[in-house]
Amino acid sequence: KKLATVNVPGNANTVNINGYFTSDYDSYYIVGHGYPSSNAHFCTRVIRGGTAVSASEYVYSAWRSYNDTSNNNQLTNANVQTGDFDNPNDVINAEADAVQAAATHTSTVLMWIHRPLSTTEWKRFRLEWQFNCATNTNVHVRHGFVKNTAALSGVQFYWHDSNADMTGKFSLYGLKV
């Protein structure tokens, strides 16, 4: 069931989807699209009690798929950032290379998060981000967990190290397992 849609008008570099998690659903799926106005790194954080979590709690593995105009196909974990189990990151960095403003083709974000209201388990997630530039296409996948049992209230997407503005739309769906 669709629970919320957030339209991003193009004058913000942060999108919060917050306050929609309920005990009615086990898992949540976010589908979004958009692109930056300048070079940027696409990042994600969970929200707890209305505030984005910037503590080092993000443990994940990563891979990426890439293809360009010279048929340079890659499926690799090289050149990607991950959150180590014993040394978690303070953010889920969805990609390693800055997305250039040339990425004027709409990118797609897919995120699944399981049992965000649980207070007895770490929150598992899978994040996939696909974007196309003038001469290449990329898919970056992150899957792991938030190493904290506290309940979550939402998810934040943002452009890191950039003054880029985001344009697009994000929708949240609730799933019963």
Side-chain angles (χ1 to χ4, degrees):
K1 178 179 177 183
K2 185 186 261 187
L3 304 176
T5 297
V6 177
N7 291 303
V8 186
N11 59 356
N13 75 347
T14 301
V15 176
N16 290 330
I17 302 171
N18 189 40
Y20 299 101
F21 296 155
T22 72
S23 60
D24 294 337
Y25 304 99
D26 301 311
S27 291
Y28 292 84
Y29 197 64
I30 299 168
V31 177
H33 65 84
Y35 54 87
S37 61
S38 62
N39 295 359
H41 288 273
F42 185 73
C43 295
T44 304
R45 287 188 166 134
V46 296
I47 299 173
R48 191 177 297 129
T51 302
V53 175
S54 60
S56 296
E57 298 180 0
Y58 303 96
V59 176
Y60 56 95
S61 60
W63 61 268
R64 77 175 187 146
S65 169
Y66 173 90
N67 192 347
D68 63 21
T69 56
S70 62
N71 202 25
N72 179 13
N73 291 300
Q74 299 177 14
L75 179 59
T76 181
N77 64 352
N79 207 23
V80 296
Q81 298 180 7
T82 60
D84 184 87
F85 194 90
D86 293 324
N87 187 22
N89 280 359
D90 63 353
V91 64
I92 304 165
N93 189 340
E95 46 79 36
D97 301 322
V99 177
Q100 300 176 8
T104 55
H105 308 286
T106 302
S107 62
T108 303
V109 176
L110 305 171
M111 184 175 190
W112 165 83
I113 189 161
H114 187 63
R115 295 177 43 103
L117 296 179
S118 171
T119 57
T120 60
E121 62 187 309
W122 295 340
K123 310 309 176 285
R124 296 179 305 281
F125 67 84
R126 178 182 166 95
L127 175 67
E128 180 177 315
W129 188 47
Q130 178 180 353
F131 60 94
N132 302 317
C133 294
T135 61
N136 62 60
T137 184
N138 291 265
V139 176
H140 292 261
V141 176
R142 307 297 183 256
H143 52 92
F145 57 89
V146 179
K147 198 173 181 180
N148 191 311
T149 60
L152 303 179
S153 61
V155 175
Q156 178 184 79
F157 299 105
Y158 69 100
W159 299 116
H160 184 54
D161 294 333
S162 173
N163 292 323
D165 290 331
M166 188 180 301
T167 301
K169 183 190 315 189
F170 294 80
S171 293
L172 174 71
Y173 297 85
L175 305 170
K176 193 76 173 165
V177 178

